[in-house]
């Protein structure tokens, strides 16, 4: 069987680090997250909610967008505020790379 012709836009391999963290917020919402640090995405982090399988590329600017976490991870406003409080410590400031 022959591989069909694909027009690759990018295909790279990179060493990354992933932080796995589980916590319960004051409102009793449990989060199981994988936070991947990579040289891609202009220094933003890949945040994966391991319960839902939803992943987003997040930096400090995204946390400032009203409704972003609610929409991306299907959270209530209260849950999103609590998640944002954690993520501010995780994503830090964005460092631009080539």
């Amino acid at each position: 069987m022959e591989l069909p012709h694909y027009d690759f836009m990018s295909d790279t391999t990179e060493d990354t680090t992933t932080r796995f963290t589980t916590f319960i917020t004051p409102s009793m919402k449990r989060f199981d997250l994988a936070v991947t640090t990579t040289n891609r995405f202009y220094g933003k982090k890949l945040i994966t909610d391991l319960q839902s399988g939803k992943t987003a590329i997040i930096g400090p600017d995204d946390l400032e967008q009203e409704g972003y976490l609610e929409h991306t991870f299907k959270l209530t406003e209260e849950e999103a505020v609590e998640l944002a409080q954690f993520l501010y410590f995780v994503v830090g400031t964005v460092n631009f790379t080539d």
Side-chain angles (χ1 to χ4, degrees):
M1 182 169 190
E2 189 175 314
L3 181 68
H5 175 72
Y6 291 105
D7 189 9
F8 286 93
M9 303 299 286
S10 176
D11 185 6
T12 60
T13 301
E14 172 188 340
D15 289 330
T16 62
T17 59
T18 302
R19 172 184 175 182
F20 295 95
T21 184
T22 298
F23 60 92
I24 298 175
T25 66
S27 69
M28 302 305 290
K29 169 71 175 168
R30 177 179 167 156
F31 286 97
D32 295 291
L33 303 176
V35 180
T36 302
T37 301
T38 173
N39 290 324
R40 298 181 70 83
F41 313 122
Y42 305 102
K44 293 184 178 189
K45 311 270 189 198
L46 247 120
I47 310 294
T48 302
D49 177 344
L50 298 172
Q51 292 180 35
S52 69
K54 295 184 185 321
T55 300
I57 301 164
I58 296 180
D61 58 325
D62 300 302
L63 298 177
E64 298 296 328
Q65 283 187 22
E66 188 174 326
Y68 180 77
L69 292 177
E70 292 96 314
H71 173 74
T72 302
F73 293 110
K74 307 295 184 236
L75 301 172
T76 66
E77 186 176 343
E78 180 182 22
E79 292 167 343
V81 166
E82 292 175 329
L83 177 59
Q85 289 171 342
F86 171 77
L87 290 178
Y88 274 113
F89 291 103
V90 172
V91 299
T93 56
V94 172
N95 299 312
F96 291 98
T97 59
D98 279 345

